[in-house]
């Protein structure tokens, strides 16, 4: 059995915020700050290894138990479903899923089946299912904002953070779909096997999050 806990961190924006949180709770994250091409890093002053991965893979590693913990956006959790514990809302990586359309277009003003493009087909499907509305969902991998511009879709369901991408492409959000932020997730078996260690890490994070809330 592994002695060290292992955590999967989402590469990119969430990685920086995760490192800031860990440093604030006393973990030396220097190996992650200058990772080179290495993908797995042992922390010098805490029994934790960090793996850097893409968001969907963070969930896969935690579900399979090869990582005990993970930090991943609620967007990916909502899209992929979950069989793990979601233990903490870490408060960073805040954004929202929104339904957006071309400025001036009337998404709801027709009985024709609407086409909606998204990188998140499951989130989109559940959103319209809750409304009892039948839509055709088109899965897009890259910049989904192109779909309504190219007339491939009547609307998109996508992540909105500042709103700049929508604005610069002549799109407007017309409805919120879900709020998103980074979550700490834990493999269900690890939670029992490494209870004390995991509780120590969660406890430190909780204390720091509380301190941040009180500061604002
Ligand atoms: C997301 C999202 C939007 C953009 C929104 O893409 O898909 O395109 O951010 O941000 P804004 O409201 O601040 O403009 P991201 O940059 O994460 O790239 P991705 O296509 O790899 O998801």
């Amino acid at each position: 059995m592994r002695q060290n806990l292992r955590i999967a961190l989402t590469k990119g924006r969430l990685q920086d915020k995760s490192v800031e949180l860990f440093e604030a709770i006393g973990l030396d994250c220097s190996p992650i700050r200058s990772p080179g091409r290495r993908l797995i890093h042992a922390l010098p002053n805490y029994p934790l290894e960090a793996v850097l991965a893409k968001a969907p893979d963070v969930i896969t590693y935690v579900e399979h138990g090869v990582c005990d913990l993970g930090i991943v956006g609620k967007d990916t959790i909502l899209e992929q479903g979950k069989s793990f514990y979601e233990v903490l809302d870490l408060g960073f990586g805040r954004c929202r899923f929104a339904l957006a359309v071309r400025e001036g277009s009337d998404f709801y003003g027709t009985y024709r089946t609407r086409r909606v493009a998204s990188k998140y087909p499951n989130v989109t499907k559940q959103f319209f299912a809750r409304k009892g509305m039948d839509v055709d969902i088109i899965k897009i991998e890259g910049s989904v904002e192109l779909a309504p511009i190219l007339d491939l879709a009547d609307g998109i369901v996508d992540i909105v953070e500042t709103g700049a991408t929508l604005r610069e492409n002549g799109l407007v959000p017309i409805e919120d779909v879900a709020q998103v932020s980074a979550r700490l997730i834990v493999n269900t078996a690890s939670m029992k096997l490494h209870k004390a260690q995991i509780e120590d890490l969660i406890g430190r994070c909780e204390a720091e999050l509380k301190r941040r809330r009180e500061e604002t």
Side-chain angles (χ1 to χ4, degrees), residues 13 119-120 142-145 158-166:
R13 295 184 221 188
K119 278 181 272 189
Y120 300 86
S143 300
V144 73
E145 295 83 1
D158 198 22
I159 296 289
V160 180
E161 194 177 349
T162 63
T165 311
L166 291 181

Side-chain angles (χ1 to χ4, degrees), residues 5-11 18 22 39 48-55 57-62 66-72 183-185:
L5 283 184
R6 193 179 287 151
I7 189 165
L9 303 179
T10 301
K11 281 196 272 191
S18 306
F22 284 168
L39 297 170
L48 183 70
E49 283 176 348
V51 171
L52 304 175
K54 284 204 171 191
D57 297 340
V58 168
I59 290 184
T60 303
Y61 296 148
V62 172
V66 296
C67 291
D68 306 294
L69 305 114
I71 293 183
V72 66
R183 305 298 159 100
L184 181 66
I185 63 172

Side-chain angles (χ1 to χ4, degrees), residues 51-95:
V51 171
L52 304 175
K54 284 204 171 191
D57 297 340
V58 168
I59 290 184
T60 303
Y61 296 148
V62 172
E63 281 184 336
H64 284 266
V66 296
C67 291
D68 306 294
L69 305 114
I71 293 183
V72 66
K74 183 70 178 177
D75 51 335
T76 311
I77 296 174
L78 288 172
E79 181 60 23
Q80 286 201 202
K82 57 170 186 176
S83 52
F84 46 78
Y85 296 126
E86 188 183 313
V87 294
L88 269 186
D89 180 342
L90 297 172
F92 55 78
R94 281 197 190 284
C95 52

